Amino acid sequence: MSTIIAGRFQSSEEADHAVEALVSQSIAREDISVFYVTPAGQHDATPIGGDEDESPGTEHAMHGAATGALLGAGVGVAGALVAATAGLAAPLIAVAGLGAAAAGAYSGSLAGAMSGTMDAGHHAIRHAGMMVAVNLGDAGDEHAVVATLRHAGAADVELAEGTWADGDWSDFDPTRPPHRIDTTSPDRTPT
């Protein structure tokens, strides 16, 4: 496995500038790879396209919807019982009870489904853009590479362990959350 530092740039011109800066610091061209990362969800990782079979964070939505529907229906039935004890006529009680139970079930299922998806936005994702990846090898200066990428305008800089073959990061996985390097000091624990 190789230690790889990669920076994301908004344009190919910025990426080219970063490559020139890295080469001027005596980093061999075969230790630098430039490639485009498509937006999340467009990596064609599944047979029908996309990245995953379901959207991240939605695995608990169905359970939340069912729980919310039951709770909402229960609240609706409780409301109908309150109406019955208030002395409303039997037909009104039935209609009010059904309406309250239905409204409660719908509202509860919606609230439950949403609460089941709340974590979806908290997954670290790799944003689209031009990536400049550097194979540090045995003699690479991590701090200098990070500083050069940042100075060249990298929006994100990340640290990874990966396979470097024929001048490319051959096992790069765009769906894997990046291990971003803090702006103050590189963290040597890639995930």
Side-chain angles (χ1 to χ4, degrees), residues 4 6 33 35-38 43 126-127 129 131 133 158 160-164 168-178:
I4 299 168
S33 179
F35 52 94
Y36 181 71
V37 177
T38 58
H43 302 300
R126 184 175 278 108
H127 298 287
M131 291 289 284
E158 63 183 85
E161 294 293 326
T163 303
W164 197 270
D168 286 315
W169 184 358
S170 62
D171 61 351
F172 173 76
D173 181 359
T175 63
R176 186 173 174 197

Side-chain angles (χ1 to χ4, degrees), residues 119-167:
D119 291 336
H122 299 289
H123 296 284
I125 63 168
R126 184 175 278 108
H127 298 287
M130 294 300 297
M131 291 289 284
V132 175
V134 179
N135 176 22
L136 288 183
D138 295 329
D141 182 352
E142 178 180 327
H143 295 282
V145 170
V146 170
T148 300
L149 291 172
R150 289 200 189 287
H151 183 72
D156 298 312
V157 178
E158 63 183 85
L159 171 70
E161 294 293 326
T163 303
W164 197 270
D166 299 322

Side-chain angles (χ1 to χ4, degrees), residues 19-32 134 139-140 145:
V19 170
E20 290 172 16
L22 291 164
V23 169
S24 73
Q25 291 183 356
S26 302
I27 295 177
R29 184 65 183 96
E30 61 268 7
D31 285 330
I32 303 170
V134 179
V145 170

